[in-house]
């Protein structure tokens, strides 16, 4: 992609199979990327190509998505997914690393910091498109719909996930048909429609807010960049005015994009990540 070689891997961590994709020199500082919903590792393909000259980029398919394990009897609570992700990083020999999460991937990444010993291993954290110290604004994402028994049928519809990426309030301006086709391909792997929505069965925006204030903010002791698209219709700029007050070394930065800014304004997103990840650690 863009002249950069991407390598696909599979890893077994405690009997759970993870699929992940890498770019760059394994000798460079790792940058682990965790996608949201409805997404896969491919949502970060621009950033992986852009940053591969400086970082060893590792983008995972989270459980239930893409080519990772999609057994429906797995534990799809975010804390459990995070614990399994930590085991996967151990299995492939990643010790200290930078972390990036987008959308639901930020919730997983928040919980990854709560896995034993992980707080000390994360060098810097790029936290994207997720509510922080304030409740999620309106319109809220329809998590209750995602949790319905009939939703897997909708996910198999040929128009999904285009409705999420290229329609309504979350429209991604200028996204190419080629990228849309690949995003559609990633969501249509056998088993994704049944497994991926299970993450919404044991969560809620209010519970996630309470978890952040209760114990997850306290785990954000590394430098944290809250990277947001100022055009996201549900996550409003004013909701992040006081966010840096809740973490030890945090800041907020807005990009001129929507919810999926990594696809909409990829160069701007990559530049913001590079600037933050290149700063000396305190």
């Amino acid at each position: 992609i863009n002249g950069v070689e991407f390598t696909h891997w599979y890893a077994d961590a405690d009997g759970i199979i993870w699929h992940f994709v890498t770019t760059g020199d394994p000798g460079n500082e790792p940058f682990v990327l965790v996608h949201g919903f409805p997404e896969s590792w491919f949502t970060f393909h621009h950033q992986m190509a852009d940053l591969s000259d400086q970082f060893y980029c590792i983008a995972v398919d989270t459980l239930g998505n893409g080519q990772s394990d999609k057994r429906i009897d797995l534990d799809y609570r975010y804390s459990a997914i995070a614990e399994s992700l930590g085991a996967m990083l151990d299995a492939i020999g990643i010790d200290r690393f930078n972390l990036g999460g987008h959308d639901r991937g930020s919730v997983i990444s928040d919980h990854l910091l709560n896995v034993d010993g992980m707080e000390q291993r994360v060098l810097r954290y790029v936290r994207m498109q997720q509510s922080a110290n304030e409740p999620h604004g309106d319109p809220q994402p329809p998590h209750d719909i995602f949790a319905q028994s009939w939703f897997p049928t909708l996910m198999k519809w040929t128009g999904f996930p285009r409705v999420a990426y290229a329609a309504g309030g979350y429209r991604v301006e200028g996204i190419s048909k080629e990228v849309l086709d690949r995003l559609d391909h990633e969501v249509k792997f056998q088993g994704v429609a049944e497994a991926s929505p299970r993450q919404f069965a044991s969560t809620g925006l209010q519970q996630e807010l309470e978890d952040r204030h209760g114990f997850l903010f306290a785990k954000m002791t590394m430098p944290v960049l809250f990277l947001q698209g100022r055009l996201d219709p549900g996550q409003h700029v004013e909701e992040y005015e006081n966010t840096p007050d809740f973490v030890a070394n945090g800041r907020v930065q807005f990009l001129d994009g929507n919810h999926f800014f990594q696809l909409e304004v990829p160069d701007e997103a990559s530049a913001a990540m590079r600037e933050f990840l290149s700063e000396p650690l305190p």
Side-chain angles (χ1 to χ4, degrees), residues 106 110 125-137 209 212-213 216-228 235-254:
S106 291
D110 289 351
Y125 180 17
V126 182
R127 189 181 188 276
M128 296 169 271
Q129 290 309 132
Q130 189 54 235
S131 295
N133 55 293
E134 296 287 340
H136 196 294
L209 178 66
R212 290 193 293 274
H213 282 287
L216 292 175
F217 278 142
K219 295 293 184 177
M220 299 183 192
T221 53
M222 68 295 299
V224 181
L225 174 63
F226 294 86
L227 192 60
Q228 292 286 132
Q235 296 173 11
H236 311 128
V237 171
E238 60 270 19
E239 295 167 12
Y240 300 86
E241 182 177 353
N242 300 318
T243 298
D245 297 339
F246 291 84
V247 296
N249 187 6
R251 76 186 76 165
V252 178
Q253 182 176 346
F254 292 97

Side-chain angles (χ1 to χ4, degrees), residues 161-197:
R162 284 173 170 80
V163 291
Y165 284 109
Y170 292 105
R171 184 174 61 253
V172 179
E173 301 290 353
I175 187 170
S176 70
K177 181 180 184 302
E178 180 183 22
V179 170
L180 273 175
D181 287 345
R182 179 58 183 267
L183 294 167
D184 181 75
H185 171 76
E186 294 284 326
V187 173
K188 296 299 197 304
F189 277 108
Q190 184 175 357
V192 170
E194 290 78 14
S196 185

Side-chain angles (χ1 to χ4, degrees), residues 84-106:
S84 181
L85 174 57
M88 188 277 281
L89 294 173
D90 290 343
I92 66 173
I94 300 299
D95 183 17
R96 304 192 75 203
F97 59 95
N98 299 293
L99 177 64
H102 176 267
D103 183 80
R104 297 283 89 195
S106 291

Side-chain angles (χ1 to χ4, degrees), residues 4-244:
V4 174
E5 181 178 349
F6 284 62
T7 305
H8 291 253
W9 307 83
Y10 295 89
D12 185 330
D14 297 332
I16 294 176
I17 303 300
W18 284 80
H19 170 252
F20 61 100
V21 180
T22 63
T23 61
D25 184 346
N28 288 339
E29 207 168 80
F31 184 24
V32 176
L33 291 157
V34 188
H35 67 82
F37 178 87
E39 298 177 274
S40 73
W41 75 270
F42 185 74
T43 195
F44 296 116
H45 71 278
H46 290 298
Q47 289 70 50
M48 296 178 71
D50 293 344
L51 299 175
S52 62
D53 63 326
Q54 186 176 354
F55 299 95
Y56 182 47
C57 299
I58 306 167
V60 303
D61 280 341
T62 62
L63 298 185
N65 294 282
Q67 298 178 62
S68 285
D69 212 324
K70 294 178 285 290
R71 287 173 289 168
I72 60 174
D73 59 347
L74 295 178
D75 190 341
Y76 288 99
R77 293 174 300 160
Y78 290 121
S79 57
I81 295 173
E83 187 171 351
S84 181
L85 174 57
M88 188 277 281
L89 294 173
D90 290 343
I92 66 173
I94 300 299
D95 183 17
R96 304 192 75 203
F97 59 95
N98 299 293
L99 177 64
H102 176 267
D103 183 80
R104 297 283 89 195
S106 291
V107 182
I108 295 171
S109 297
D110 289 351
H111 281 280
L112 181 63
L113 301 178
N114 196 47
V115 173
D116 284 349
M118 199 62 69
E119 176 187 350
Q120 293 73 32
R121 292 167 57 181
V122 175
L123 302 170
R124 306 169 188 85
Y125 180 17
V126 182
R127 189 181 188 276
M128 296 169 271
Q129 290 309 132
Q130 189 54 235
S131 295
N133 55 293
E134 296 287 340
H136 196 294
D138 291 325
Q140 294 187 357
H143 289 179
D144 55 336
I145 292 178
F146 299 158
Q148 296 298 313
S149 60
W150 49 261
F151 187 70
T153 302
L154 179 60
M155 283 193 70
K156 295 177 181 179
W157 171 52
T158 56
F160 187 91
R162 284 173 170 80
V163 291
Y165 284 109
Y170 292 105
R171 184 174 61 253
V172 179
E173 301 290 353
I175 187 170
S176 70
K177 181 180 184 302
E178 180 183 22
V179 170
L180 273 175
D181 287 345
R182 179 58 183 267
L183 294 167
D184 181 75
H185 171 76
E186 294 284 326
V187 173
K188 296 299 197 304
F189 277 108
Q190 184 175 357
V192 170
E194 290 78 14
S196 185
R198 289 179 174 262
Q199 64 187 294
F200 298 102
S202 57
T203 190
L205 294 174
Q206 181 60 35
Q207 183 60 57
E208 291 170 9
L209 178 66
E210 293 174 5
D211 288 346
R212 290 193 293 274
H213 282 287
F215 59 96
L216 292 175
F217 278 142
K219 295 293 184 177
M220 299 183 192
T221 53
M222 68 295 299
V224 181
L225 174 63
F226 294 86
L227 192 60
Q228 292 286 132
R230 69 174 71 252
L231 303 179
D232 188 315
Q235 296 173 11
H236 311 128
V237 171
E238 60 270 19
E239 295 167 12
Y240 300 86
E241 182 177 353
N242 300 318
T243 298

